């Protein structure tokens, strides 16, 4: 096997990997402390369109995780980074609760459209305004393209169908920034100054976490917690670099083999 | 241009016209005729050429729509107009389909004779403001709950022009529902071949003896060409300059408006 460059960064998924709702994965807090004693940067990555960083941070702090708010990188952060990087002024079709993560971004005289999960924005008028901007060349940025999700009152359309509709309308392709897109992982690593080959991702979602990370050039470690189901490792190609019982085991492996 | 006109009118017996963007622009107060179009329609009829109208208009019943055009001065009657809703009704009845309608309120009467109870399919039309999240979601829930989801789309246009700018057309919501349910819609109306063919059959004219004039390069011009007709794109309505550089569809001619198209046709018909 060709020698890889030394590990510089570890990306860790949140829900299902470090915690499940309001319970931490047993031993995860200690494992995180051990990881921090190693010479690697750590970032916490997650797809979300509704929860701002502060909400996620407060939940993890309550669970005694040693974490700083600016170490959290979400699909909303990925969108923000892209906007800043390309100096775009967006129309933000996202839930109010997510707007906090876009504070400071100039939204006057928009020349880009950002779409998240925001049913109240998917009305005909707003879609038309977004369409006209995109037709004139404004980039369309999608937080993710989920088809639908489960609500208390039944299934509900996600942003995916509306993004697809706008892509067809304007004959263009959206830049999707959430997992498992390459953009997500590359953006997460951007300010760490390391390449994907110098990073490893730990997560419970074979396709979105591990598959996506490996597709971006990183190593992927699949943990058997959260949404993991037996056999998930066989669902991606190439297979995960490693499948192990949980976050603590993943950290052990990294410390013993990858530093 | 001379050679192209000769090709277009060789053995010409019938003309098929799109309505929105060719005859008039829709919008506030019902819309505005495009300059020269009223006269142009009269001239076609006076020339002895057969004439039919193929429209994907689904914001009104044919009766109301034609009455509006007549008030604008157009020489047009209901039996000359081919629109998707009546064509869809026939298909629904033939196949025992009971639709959940995601359409503009004013076209619902076209579906009066169709059984809409316990829906086993969704029909989507140009619903405009009726495309609220709630309504699109409702249609989605019907489809996702069916063992064999059937989605019938009245046209598949991307956008059309109204007096106050471009507006999203039915195609967007067709694509949205296709993506959400991972299915493929059946299109009734342009550019479906059957739709053009029914107008040609009604005129008793073969495809190569007919010419289509429209503002939508892919659905009007491309669709007609797929049937063996010649087709011209007008630079009114939803036309955009980029249309003339389209990678796959090339109109047989590009004209500024219907009046210019008719000038060319009648001039060269006389030669």
């Amino acid at each position: 096997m060709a020698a890889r460059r030394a590990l510089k960064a570890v990306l860790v998924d949140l829900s299902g990997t470090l915690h499940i709702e309001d319970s931490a994965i047993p031993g995860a807090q200690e494992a995180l402390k051990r990881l921090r004693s190693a010479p690697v940067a750590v970032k916490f990555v997650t797809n979300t369109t509704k929860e701002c960083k502060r909400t996620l941070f407060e939940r993890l702090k309550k669970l005694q995780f040693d974490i700083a708010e600016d170490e959290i990188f979400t699909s909303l952060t990925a969108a923000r980074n892209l906007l800043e990087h390309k100096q775009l002024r967006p129309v933000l079709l996202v839930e109010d609760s997510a707007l906090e993560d876009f504070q400071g971004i100039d939204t006057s005289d928009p020349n880009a459209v950002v779409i998240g999960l925001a049913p109240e924005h998917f009305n005909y008028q707003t879609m038309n305004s977004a369409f006209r901007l995109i037709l004139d060349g404004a980039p369309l940025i999608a937080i993710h393209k989920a088809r639908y999700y489960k609500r208390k009152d039944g299934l509900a359309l996600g942003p995916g169908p509306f993004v697809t509709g706008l892509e067809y309308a304007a004959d263009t392709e959206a830049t999707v920034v959430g997992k498992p897109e390459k953009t997500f992982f590359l953006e997460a690593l951007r300010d760490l100054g390391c390449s994907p080959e110098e990073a490893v991702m730990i997560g419970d979602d074979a396709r979105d976490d591990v598959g996506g990370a490996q597709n971006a050039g990183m190593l992927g470690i699949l943990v058997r917690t959260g949404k993991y189901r037996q056999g998930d490792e066989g669902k991606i190609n190439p297979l995960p670099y490693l499948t192990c019982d949980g976050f603590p085991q993943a950290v052990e492996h990294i410390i013993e083999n990858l530093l | 241009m001379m050679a192209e006109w000769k090709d277009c009118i060789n053995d010409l017996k019938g003309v098929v016209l799109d309505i929105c963007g060719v005859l008039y622009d829709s919008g506030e107060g019902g819309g505005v005729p495009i300059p020269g179009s009223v006269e142009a329609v009269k001239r076609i009829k006076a020339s002895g050429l057969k004439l039919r109208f193929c429209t994907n208009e689904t914001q009104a019943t044919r009766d109301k729509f034609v009455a509006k055009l007549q008030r604008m001065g157009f020489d047009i009657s209901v039996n000359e107009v081919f629109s998707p809703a009546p064509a869809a009704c026939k298909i629904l009845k033939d196949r025992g389909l009971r639709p959940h309608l995601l359409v503009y309120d004013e076209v619902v009467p076209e579906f009066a004779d169709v059984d809409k109870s316990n829906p086993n399919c969704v029909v989507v039309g140009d619903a405009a403001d009726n495309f609220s999240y709630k309504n699109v979601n409702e249609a989605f829930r019907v489809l996702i709950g069916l063992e064999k989801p059937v989605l019938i789309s009245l046209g598949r246009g991307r956008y059309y022009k109204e007096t106050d700018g471009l507006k999203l057309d039915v195609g967007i919501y067709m694509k949205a529902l296709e993506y959400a349910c991972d299915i493929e819609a059946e299109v009734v109306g342009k550019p479906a071949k059957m739709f053009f063919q029914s107008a040609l059959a009604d005129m008793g004219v073969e495809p190569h003896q007919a010419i289509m004039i429209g503002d939508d390069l892919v659905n009007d011009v491309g669709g007609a060409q797929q049937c063996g007709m010649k087709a011209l794109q007008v630079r009114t309505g939803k036309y955009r300059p980029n249309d003339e550089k389209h990678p796959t569809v090339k109109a047989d001619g590009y004209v500024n408006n219907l009046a210019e198209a008719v000038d060319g046709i009648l001039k060269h018909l006389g030669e």
Side-chain angles (χ1 to χ4, degrees):
Chain A
M1 194 160 86
R4 283 180 69 89
R5 287 180 254 174
L7 196 66
K8 284 195 180 150
V10 178
L11 300 187
V12 185
D13 174 47
L14 291 178
S15 172
T17 302
L18 283 189
H19 71 99
I20 295 181
E21 304 213 359
D22 288 323
S23 307
I25 297 288
Q29 298 95 329
E30 280 71 50
L32 180 57
K33 282 208 175 77
R34 254 176 76 59
L35 186 59
R36 288 202 183 283
S37 66
V40 288
V42 182
K43 258 206 186 164
F44 304 90
V45 296
T46 179
N47 263 1
T48 175
T49 53
K50 288 171 75 161
E51 295 181 306
C52 65
K53 269 201 267 201
R54 193 173 37 85
T55 308
L56 299 169
F57 168 67
E58 278 161 11
R59 180 187 296 133
L60 291 162
K61 258 300 201 251
K62 245 203 238 164
L63 294 175
Q64 317 284 333
F65 281 102
D66 172 17
I67 186 170
E69 196 176 318
D70 63 4
E71 288 175 324
I72 299 176
F73 183 87
T74 71
S75 38
L76 292 172
T77 326
R80 189 203 172 98
N81 283 10
L82 194 59
L83 294 169
E84 283 175 338
H85 184 58
K86 302 214 157 149
Q87 297 184 310
L88 295 168
R89 297 179 309 277
V91 163
L92 293 167
L93 303 184
V94 301
E95 282 259 355
D96 286 348
S97 54
L99 283 175
E100 197 182 299
D101 279 353
F102 291 93
Q103 252 167 38
I105 299 272
D106 184 5
T107 55
S108 66
D109 187 27
N111 60 5
V113 176
V114 173
I115 299 192
L117 176 57
E120 75 272 19
H121 288 307
F122 296 152
N123 58 67
Y124 190 63
Q125 301 271 47
T126 311
M127 287 280 285
N128 259 334
S129 314
F131 158 63
R132 289 173 190 178
L133 278 174
I134 299 164
L135 192 63
D136 281 341
L140 173 57
I141 297 169
I143 308 288
H144 63 80
K145 279 187 78 168
R147 289 166 201 257
Y148 53 85
Y149 65 107
K150 184 112 188 283
R151 268 198 327 215
K152 272 183 248 181
D153 62 340
L155 293 180
L157 292 169
F162 298 94
V163 171
T164 303
L166 287 172
E167 288 180 312
Y168 174 67
D171 195 20
T172 185
E173 229 176 275
T175 302
V176 185
V177 298
K179 290 185 284 182
E181 296 297 320
K182 230 189 231 191
T183 318
F184 180 83
F185 298 98
L186 297 179
E187 285 296 319
L189 295 174
R190 183 196 290 282
D191 64 351
L192 298 180
C194 78
S195 69
E197 288 74 22
E198 297 164 320
V200 66
M201 167 78 191
I202 306 173
D204 64 323
D205 187 319
R207 227 183 39 174
D208 284 4
D209 294 334
V210 179
Q214 293 190 156
N215 186 46
M218 299 168 58
L219 289 177
I221 299 178
L222 181 62
V223 288
R224 293 190 188 100
T225 51
K227 69 165 69 130
Y228 172 86
R229 292 286 171 272
Q230 196 165 29
D232 275 355
E233 56 267 42
K235 292 188 180 147
I236 58 168
N237 185 18
L239 295 176
Y241 159 75
L242 174 72
T243 304
C244 61
D245 284 342
F247 179 67
Q249 289 73 21
V251 169
E252 259 333 289
H253 177 92
I254 289 171
I255 291 179
E256 279 167 28
N257 297 283
L258 294 178
L259 295 175
Chain B
M1 203 53 189
M2 278 290 276
E4 288 170 31
W5 276 117
K6 280 215 160 83
D7 285 338
C8 285
I9 54 94
N10 196 29
D11 200 21
L12 186 67
K13 295 232 163 42
V15 176
V16 179
L17 296 183
D18 172 39
I19 296 183
C20 290
V22 176
L23 265 47
Y24 87 120
D25 278 328
S26 55
E28 278 291 313
V32 171
I34 288 170
S37 290
V38 168
E39 193 53 40
V41 170
K42 288 199 175 99
R43 291 180 67 203
I44 296 174
K45 288 196 169 180
S47 73
L49 288 170
K50 301 231 169 104
L51 175 59
R52 294 292 182 275
F53 303 85
C54 268
T55 176
N56 271 2
E57 173 62 53
T58 54
Q59 278 196 28
T61 59
R62 255 187 323 170
D63 285 350
K64 289 234 165 87
F65 185 50
V66 168
K68 178 174 83 170
L69 291 163
Q70 287 169 344
R71 280 195 301 274
M72 286 183 193
F74 287 102
D75 180 359
I76 184 173
S77 58
V78 171
N79 57 5
E80 294 167 335
V81 174
F82 288 77
S83 69
C89 285
K90 183 165 187 317
I91 291 172
L92 295 170
K93 286 190 192 139
D94 286 349
R95 286 162 58 179
L97 291 170
R98 299 179 306 279
H100 170 93
L101 299 174
L102 177 56
V103 299
Y104 204 66
D105 288 347
E106 281 167 31
V107 83
V108 171
E110 289 271 37
F111 296 90
D113 290 343
V114 174
D115 181 5
K116 296 185 268 308
S117 66
N118 192 26
N120 58 6
C121 76
V122 166
V123 170
V124 59
D126 169 20
D129 286 309
N130 267 354
F131 280 133
S132 61
Y133 177 81
K134 181 166 174 293
N135 289 348
V136 183
N137 205 39
E138 226 174 278
F140 157 68
R141 283 179 177 177
V142 169
L143 285 170
I144 204 84
L146 293 170
E147 212 184 291
K148 289 202 183 98
V150 172
L151 173 61
I152 292 175
S153 185
L154 305 179
R156 49 176 286 146
R158 289 156 60 203
Y159 52 84
Y160 52 87
K161 175 153 179 267
E162 289 213 328
T163 47
D164 60 339
L166 296 180
K167 302 261 167 90
L168 292 173
D169 201 353
V170 59
I172 279 43
Y173 294 90
M174 175 196 84
K175 286 282 177 179
L177 290 169
E178 283 185 326
Y179 179 81
C181 304
D182 197 17
I183 56 173
E184 222 175 283
E186 298 174 40
V187 177
V188 175
K190 299 176 285 185
K193 268 192 198 166
M194 228 171 66
F195 195 65
F196 291 103
Q197 284 163 349
S198 56
L200 294 173
D202 196 55
M203 286 192 284
V205 154
E206 293 294 307
H208 68 273
Q209 300 172 318
I211 192 167
M212 168 82 192
I213 305 174
D215 67 328
D216 186 320
L217 183 72
V218 172
N219 295 306
D220 294 336
V221 173
Q225 288 175 333
Q226 296 270 332
C227 291
M229 297 164 69
K230 294 276 190 247
L232 304 175
Q233 187 184 20
V234 284
R235 296 189 181 104
T236 49
K238 72 172 74 154
Y239 164 89
R240 284 165 65 88
N242 260 349
D243 289 346
E244 297 192 42
K245 299 192 213 115
H246 196 272
T248 50
V249 182
K250 196 166 157 28
D252 292 290
Y254 300 89
V255 286
N256 285 331
N257 49 43
L258 179 63
E260 192 182 290
V262 172
D263 280 344
I265 289 171
L266 295 182
K267 175 158 173 265
H268 294 91
L269 209 53
E271 285 164 4

